[in-house]
């Protein structure tokens, strides 16, 4: 029996993306929509970039009768396994793989973006005008976009492209561990501007969907950072026949016994953590490769963590909290994970041990694929240089200078010591 | 040429203790007294608990003519190596090993305590009335003393025993790595109460040593924590013919190119970090032994770090800063080091992998010696229980409950999840 005033409509969820991490997040979300049928529609749409795939012979779902290439969506919907990107993990049956992104997002109130950042532009264009105007997004895409002139958050990019508010999810999240339901934590930042719904609410009644079309109120806009993050968007309020899209509901959607969620407001801090940690992981690899032991590795991580905090506060103002970096999964925990066995750490360590450049290791170990840390180090230093601030981030600078041969690992202690004086 | 008003007296430094860590700290300090002869007397006294030692055959200093047991002080002063506790490290020649602690501290203005905490009581008694009344101490003894009724800092214990102010040094400091001059960082907390010297200062002149005998001014005392940390001490001012004993001078005494020092005020936070991290390291070992991977290990470290902050703030009031734990070497960096290869971590991991209790591992791997983490877990939980706060520290509680068989490692995620609700 419905309680008086209880939401009459259920939230529909779409996961845009189906790689290793996208499929893992879809699994989590689908488990939770099933667990909370009063709030969410059980079926979760997952957009899959269609391709022809043959089920591998070592798959649990290997099917001799289907030894021919099949559509990936067909395989997922029939066998409930993403055999290509998340093999050997049974997906919930309420994940519906959909090759059409436009169809997948139709009528969804919650859009979870989990695809390589290179696709954001194209997907946003395809989705323009195709989504519910009052939908909300969560970006699970790690990192930020840095050029020498500006830094933009992927969540902002998505939000502005679609005219919706988009938060961010990031943490110490190695997809395969989570897919295997090994315990981990994550951080979700969600801080939409308050919308003044009073003006549009008919006296004594709830606003209907069509009536609500409000922009951010100026008063609240003043409380946002100076970068105009959301002020341009003509944000639409979520109709009151849905449960409000607040911290509680996002925790309900993402929190699992094996995947613990902490909700915060600081979208910029959460996004920056996932990018800047890669520079620090390179430094940790350098130091470890040099054989300096655990003290030195912990030191470089600590120094790096504080440069991350400083960077966030300097360029994203009061919306960024030190605690996002020093206390949350998206900060210190993600940094620890990356400096334990992450790719940036391992390749930097290998480079020092072999006495070659990181570029050489990229060639021999990654088939010439580039590490995220090397490009982020280049971009962040170029951004800092434009602002005359490069010397205030001695570890970030040292990493680039080591990558480009102007400094050696042995210089790190002296270079970072300056910051304390 | 002496500048007008420049200090005419030099600080004399004594290191009380000469184990692995004590000898390493003496090496650092002696390098710095030599580097700053205008401020410090070059010779550094090091108290050595005298014993008969034979120089090992694999020592650089092996001397066939001295194949008989010799006094450890004789060996250190002749060969400049502590062959027993810090073998193969050349000590500076200006370290003077002294078997008499009373003689070693004579006329010293700076006393560095670096000995097993079990000796604090006895040594304090021996030193009563034997030290300069205006000396200052730095305790390098890790941890705190916890009983079910109270927590005391070793630095307080020393300070109260000797009637002097004593700060604390702690960090991600594996002694052998530092002795080998591999880069590391440390944190020194030093925050003596302000002494109102105006009343005793003769008009127009500097106070002489004998004139100064002042207690803490009430105004300042109010700014100290409620635990009466220094208020009982009849603290003596450092005479003005010495350079003032402030943050700058301690940084000068301890900072080396391979040993970076950050000075803070928070003595309690620095001391607590070195104790509580051992509980967290056990938890990290449990999780890693369970095969849950890097996400889970980072999660348990993050949760532990926040319980450390909460504990400090709850029981040591406003003198404790979150940043001491989340930003300094004595906090997050020491935690990282301990959870990488520390004894508590390794033994806890081994216990889970072998399916036995930690106590069993203590027996087989440590000859029955006890891990610090197990006793700290017991003491801290008993302290929390007395205060009805044990449920507010679910990770600390989980560690004890796992050690004592009331919970299993698999319960950790559920147990700590409660803290976020």
């Amino acid at each position: 029996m419905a309680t008086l005033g209880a939401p009459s409509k259920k939230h529909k969820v779409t996961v845009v993306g189906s790689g290793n991490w996208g499929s893992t997040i879809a699994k989590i979300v689908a488990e939770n929509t099933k667990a909370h049928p009063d709030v969410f529609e059980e079926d979760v749409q997952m957009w899959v970039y269609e391709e022809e795939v043959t089920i591998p012979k070592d798959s649990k779902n290997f099917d001799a009768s289907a030894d021919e290439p099949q559509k990936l969506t067909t395989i997922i919907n029939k066998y409930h396994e993403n055999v290509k990107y998340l093999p050997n993990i049974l997906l919930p049956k309420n994940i519906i793989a959909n090759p059409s992104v436009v169809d997948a997002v139709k009528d969804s109130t919650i859009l979870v973006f989990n695809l390589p950042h290179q696709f954001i532009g194209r997907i946003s264009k395809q989705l323009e005008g195709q989504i519910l105007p009052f939908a909300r997004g969560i970006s699970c895409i790690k990192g930020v976009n840095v050029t020498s002139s500006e830094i933009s958050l992927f969540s902002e990019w998505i939000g502005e492209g679609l005219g919706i508010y988009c938060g961010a999810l990031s943490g110490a999240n190695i997809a395969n561990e989570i897919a295997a339901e090994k315990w981990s934590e994550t951080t979700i930042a969600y801080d939409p501007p308050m919308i003044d719904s009073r003006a549009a609410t008919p006296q004594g009644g709830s606003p209907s969907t069509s009536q609500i079309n409000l922009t951010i109120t100026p008063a609240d806009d003043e409380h946002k950072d100076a970068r105009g993050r959301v002020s341009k968007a003509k944000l639409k309020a979520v109709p009151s026949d849905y449960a409000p899209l607040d911290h509680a509901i996002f925790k309900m959607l993402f929190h699992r016994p094996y995947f613990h969620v902490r909700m915060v407001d600081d979208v910029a801090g959460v996004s920056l953590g996932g990018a800047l940690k890669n520079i620090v992981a390179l430094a940790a690899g350098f130091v470890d490769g040099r054989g300096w032991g655990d003290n030195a590795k912990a030191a470089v991580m600590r120094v790096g963590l504080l440069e991350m905090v400083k960077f966030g506060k300097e360029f994203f103002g009061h919306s960024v909290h030190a605690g996002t970096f020093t206390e949350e999964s998206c900060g210190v925990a993600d940094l620890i994970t990356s400096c334990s066995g992450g790719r940036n750490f391992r390749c930097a360590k290998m480079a020092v041990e072999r006495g070659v450049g990181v570029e050489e290791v990229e060639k021999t170990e990654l088939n010439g694929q580039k590490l995220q840390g090397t490009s982020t180090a280049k971009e962040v230093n170029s951004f800092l240089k434009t602002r005359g601030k490069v010397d205030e981030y001695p570890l970030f600078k040292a990493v680039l200078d080591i990558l480009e041969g102007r400094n050696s690992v042995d210089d790190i202690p002296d270079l970072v010591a300056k910051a304390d004086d």
Side-chain angles (χ1 to χ4, degrees), chain A:
Chain A
M1 203 178 73
T3 319
L4 191 68
S8 58
K9 289 192 170 175
K10 294 180 185 182
H11 287 291
K12 184 181 167 192
V13 184
T14 297
V15 177
V16 180
S18 56
N20 184 242
W21 185 214
S23 302
T24 302
I25 280 289
K27 173 177 180 290
I28 288 169
V29 161
E31 286 166 0
N32 278 327
T33 56
K34 195 178 162 76
H36 302 286
D38 46 330
V39 179
F40 303 109
E41 283 188 22
E42 192 172 318
D43 281 355
V44 170
Q45 290 283 321
M46 176 168 80
W47 172 61
V48 175
Y49 179 83
E50 191 69 286
E51 48 191 312
E52 295 280 320
V53 172
T54 307
I55 299 180
K57 289 212 165 59
D58 60 353
S59 164
K60 286 188 252 189
N61 285 314
F62 174 67
D63 185 344
S65 68
D67 202 7
E68 294 290 298
Q70 298 173 73
K71 288 200 165 99
L72 185 54
T73 52
T74 308
I75 294 173
I76 294 172
N77 289 331
K78 183 169 174 194
Y79 299 104
H80 310 293
E81 182 186 343
N82 185 336
V83 294
K84 178 149 189 193
Y85 297 106
L86 192 62
N88 299 313
I89 298 294
L90 190 68
L91 297 175
K93 294 194 172 120
N94 55 326
I95 291 181
I96 314 298
N98 191 331
S100 159
V101 71
V102 170
D103 190 61
V105 299
K106 194 165 172 283
D107 297 329
S108 283
T109 49
I110 301 177
L111 306 173
V112 180
F113 294 90
N114 203 332
L115 71 174
H117 68 89
Q118 296 87 335
F119 293 107
I120 295 175
R122 204 177 71 196
I123 292 293
S124 294
K125 264 203 192 107
Q126 280 185 265
L127 295 186
E128 232 183 309
Q130 306 290 333
I131 60 170
L132 284 183
F134 55 83
R136 296 289 183 264
I138 296 288
S139 162
C140 304
I141 306 163
K142 272 224 176 156
V144 296
N145 196 40
V146 193
T147 67
S148 59
S149 63
E150 68 159 7
I151 298 173
S152 55
L153 311 182
F154 293 138
S155 56
E156 286 178 4
W157 192 0
I158 293 167
E160 283 171 17
L162 299 178
I164 63 171
Y165 176 82
C166 186
L169 178 154
S170 185
N173 295 150
I174 299 164
N176 288 335
E177 293 184 3
I178 299 166
E181 303 193 3
K182 293 175 177 177
W183 176 43
S184 75
E185 297 186 311
T186 203
T187 315
I188 298 177
Y190 186 78
D191 184 29
M194 295 273 286
I195 296 177
D196 186 0
S197 59
R198 283 165 303 175
T201 307
Q203 282 267 328
S206 299
S208 77
T209 310
S210 59
Q211 282 173 319
I212 298 181
N213 183 348
L214 299 168
T215 54
I216 300 151
T217 61
D220 183 76
D221 200 33
E222 284 168 22
H223 288 93
K224 296 290 151 193
D225 62 59
R227 302 174 56 255
R229 179 161 57 90
V230 286
S231 58
K232 283 180 245 155
K234 302 261 181 206
L235 208 67
K236 310 289 186 296
V238 178
S240 64
D241 39 6
Y242 289 93
L245 287 175
D246 54 13
H247 279 194
I249 214 161
F250 283 108
K251 188 160 181 171
M252 196 185 282
L253 184 61
F254 287 98
H255 190 92
R256 295 295 299 157
Y258 60 86
F259 189 65
H260 290 188
V261 170
R262 300 237 305 179
M263 300 295 307
V264 301
D265 288 336
D266 178 5
V267 180
V270 167
S271 306
L272 285 169
L276 299 174
K277 58 140 197 185
N278 290 322
I279 308 180
V280 184
L282 287 174
F286 291 150
V287 160
D288 209 39
R290 192 71 187 74
W292 281 348
D294 287 340
N295 286 347
K297 190 173 154 184
V300 96
M301 288 165 71
R302 191 200 68 80
V303 170
L305 188 61
L306 293 202
E307 289 194 13
M308 288 163 66
V309 171
K310 183 176 156 71
F311 190 93
K313 286 187 156 291
E314 184 149 4
F315 301 111
F316 288 80
H318 55 73
S319 73
V320 165
H321 305 290
T324 308
F325 299 95
T326 61
E327 299 180 3
E328 301 299 339
S329 181
C330 61
V332 61
D334 196 16
L335 179 67
I336 290 171
T337 303
S338 297
C339 293
S340 296
R343 234 158 67 133
N344 291 284
F345 170 75
R346 282 184 288 116
C347 289
K349 182 175 173 173
M350 225 177 263
V352 175
E353 284 171 346
R354 296 181 185 171
V356 300
V358 170
E359 217 162 298
E360 185 64 29
V361 175
E362 287 175 330
K363 270 183 215 151
T364 55
E365 304 297 317
L366 307 176
N367 287 319
Q369 216 189 324
K370 292 286 169 192
L371 291 167
Q372 283 196 294
T374 56
S375 56
T376 306
K378 203 167 290 186
E379 290 157 5
V380 164
N381 274 281
S382 151
F383 176 87
L384 288 169
K385 213 168 191 174
T386 310
R387 279 153 189 79
K389 297 276 190 186
V390 78
D391 291 325
E392 292 175 30
Y393 296 82
L395 186 71
F396 291 172
K397 181 173 188 294
V399 168
L400 185 66
D401 287 343
I402 291 167
L403 286 172
E404 300 188 343
R406 288 182 296 275
N407 273 125
S408 81
V409 178
D410 288 357
D411 299 325
I412 291 178
D414 275 358
L415 294 171
V416 302
K418 287 181 202 161
D420 279 337
D421 291 335

